[in-house]
């Protein structure tokens, strides 16, 4: 049977790096990784610790129905609803990040949503979906809405009035997408503020350019996010 040792180590690193980057939200929000030993289950943070406190030993493992099968901490019910439903519907996904960064929540509250005006944003051209706010994800109705909103190929979800969600084949990829989605949101807010909300004063590349740039960025390196991840681990974990 495959071991989850590396999965748990990398997942704990993700929490600690996001904390160092000040992208966490007290004891809320969650990150998860699919288990290697049982791919119908996944590891996620318990409810209570700050991101900076997460270590492999205090992660919890939930099965496909939300039952806690490993770990002693109390798991987050909304985390279970969001992550569990996505893993069941998207076998291509092995990691999920959900955060409430100020820039992400702000852009998620704009009618225009994410605008493709920066190189950061091109990572998500034709790869981001919108999920309308329906309250806390505590029931099957909201779970099904999240699955439908994310779709079968998107890498990110702009959760209206709520925050951001990204997915990946690896925790490194999901981390990469979250970092640059938040950067795209920050740039958008600064650009809109600089022109007092007059979008006619902002340069928007044409559709062909956006498509080309997005493809170039996705094909830039074989293991998307791994290079940045290794540097972040050196800076924040192995210092």
């Amino acid at each position: 049977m495959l071991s989850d040792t590396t999965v748990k180590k990398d997942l704990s690193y993700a929490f600690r790096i996001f904390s160092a980057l000040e992208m966490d939200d007290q004891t809320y929000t969650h990150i998860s990784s699919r288990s290697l030993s049982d791919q119908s289950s996944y590891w996620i943070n318990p409810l209570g610790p700050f991101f900076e406190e997460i270590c492999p030993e205090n992660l919890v493992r939930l099965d496909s129905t939300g039952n806690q099968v490993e770990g002693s901490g109390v798991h987050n019910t909304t985390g279970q609803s969001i992550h569990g439903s996505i893993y069941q519907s998207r076998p291509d996904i092995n990691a999920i990040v959900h955060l409430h960064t100020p820039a992400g929540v702000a852009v998620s509250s704009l009618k225009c949503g994410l605008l493709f005006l920066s190189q950061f944003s091109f990572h998500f051209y034709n790869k981001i979906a919108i999920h309308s706010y329906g309250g806390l994800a505590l029931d099957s109705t909201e779970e099904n809405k999240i699955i439908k909103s994310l779709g079968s190929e998107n890498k990110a979800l702009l959760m209206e009035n709520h925050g951001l969600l990204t997915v990946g084949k690896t925790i490194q990829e999901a981390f990469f997408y979250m970092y640059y989605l938040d950067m795209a949101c920050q740039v958008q807010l600064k650009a809109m503020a600089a022109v007092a909300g007059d979008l006619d004063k902002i340069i928007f590349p044409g559709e062909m350019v956006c498509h080309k740039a997005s493809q170039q960025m996705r094909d830039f390196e074989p293991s998307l996010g791994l290079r940045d991840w290794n540097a972040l681990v050196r800076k924040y974990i192995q210092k």
Side-chain angles (χ1 to χ4, degrees):
M1 180 178 291
L2 295 172
S3 170
D4 278 342
T5 300
T6 300
V7 171
K8 295 168 67 178
K9 179 194 71 175
D10 285 346
L11 182 56
S12 68
Y13 285 178
F15 286 105
R16 292 160 62 187
I17 294 171
F18 274 129
S19 175
L21 296 173
E22 299 185 346
M23 296 176 70
D24 51 350
D25 174 22
Q26 301 284 42
T27 62
Y28 302 94
T29 70
H30 15 83
I31 312 171
S32 68
S33 285
R34 194 188 294 273
S35 170
L36 286 177
S37 60
D38 176 6
Q39 295 200 348
S40 66
S41 65
Y42 58 95
W43 294 95
I44 194 168
N45 49 311
L47 186 62
F50 286 120
F51 272 24
E52 66 188 47
E53 298 177 297
I54 298 296
C55 60
E57 291 73 27
N58 61 17
L59 293 167
V60 298
R61 186 163 64 90
L62 308 181
D63 65 17
S64 59
T65 57
N67 295 312
Q68 189 165 317
V69 294
E70 196 167 347
S72 58
V74 177
H75 67 272
N76 187 316
T77 305
T78 59
Q80 166 198 324
S81 298
I82 294 173
H83 296 247
S85 60
I86 292 174
Y87 284 125
Q88 289 187 66
S89 65
R90 290 280 300 270
D92 61 306
I93 290 172
N94 294 312
I96 302 168
V97 178
H98 171 53
L99 299 183
H100 301 155
T101 66
V105 175
V107 170
S108 78
S109 303
L110 297 175
K111 286 186 177 180
C112 63
L114 180 70
L115 299 174
F116 299 103
L117 55 82
S118 71
Q119 183 162 282
F120 297 132
S121 69
F122 299 148
H123 286 290
F124 308 98
Y125 189 72
N126 289 333
K127 290 292 182 182
I128 187 168
I130 297 175
H131 176 69
S132 59
Y133 188 67
L136 298 180
L138 296 174
D139 54 46
S140 59
T141 299
E142 190 63 19
E143 291 176 20
N144 291 332
K145 284 174 58 181
I146 290 172
I147 294 170
K148 185 176 180 180
S149 297
L150 183 61
S152 61
E153 295 184 357
N154 290 310
K155 295 295 187 180
L157 194 59
L158 192 66
M159 305 179 78
E160 290 184 343
N161 312 104
H162 185 169
L164 308 174
L165 183 143
T166 58
V167 300
K169 296 186 296 294
T170 63
I171 188 63
Q172 292 84 3
E173 182 178 87
F175 185 104
F176 178 94
Y177 279 130
M178 179 56 73
Y179 179 83
Y180 286 106
L181 180 55
D182 183 66
M183 289 289 285
C185 290
Q186 291 187 49
V187 170
Q188 176 175 324
L189 293 173
K190 290 182 178 181
M192 293 176 71
V195 299
D198 185 354
L199 298 185
D200 288 336
K201 294 181 179 179
I202 295 177
I203 299 170
F204 289 95
E207 183 177 346
M208 291 183 63
V209 173
C210 291
H211 178 77
K212 176 183 177 181
S214 67
Q215 196 61 51
Q216 288 175 324
M217 298 175 90
R218 291 173 196 141
D219 296 341
F220 187 71
E221 49 192 329
S223 300
L224 189 63
L226 184 59
R227 183 159 50 91
D228 282 355
W229 174 267
N230 289 336
L232 288 163
V233 169
R234 290 196 302 271
K235 181 174 183 177
Y236 293 113
I237 306 298
Q238 298 173 346
K239 60 182 179 180

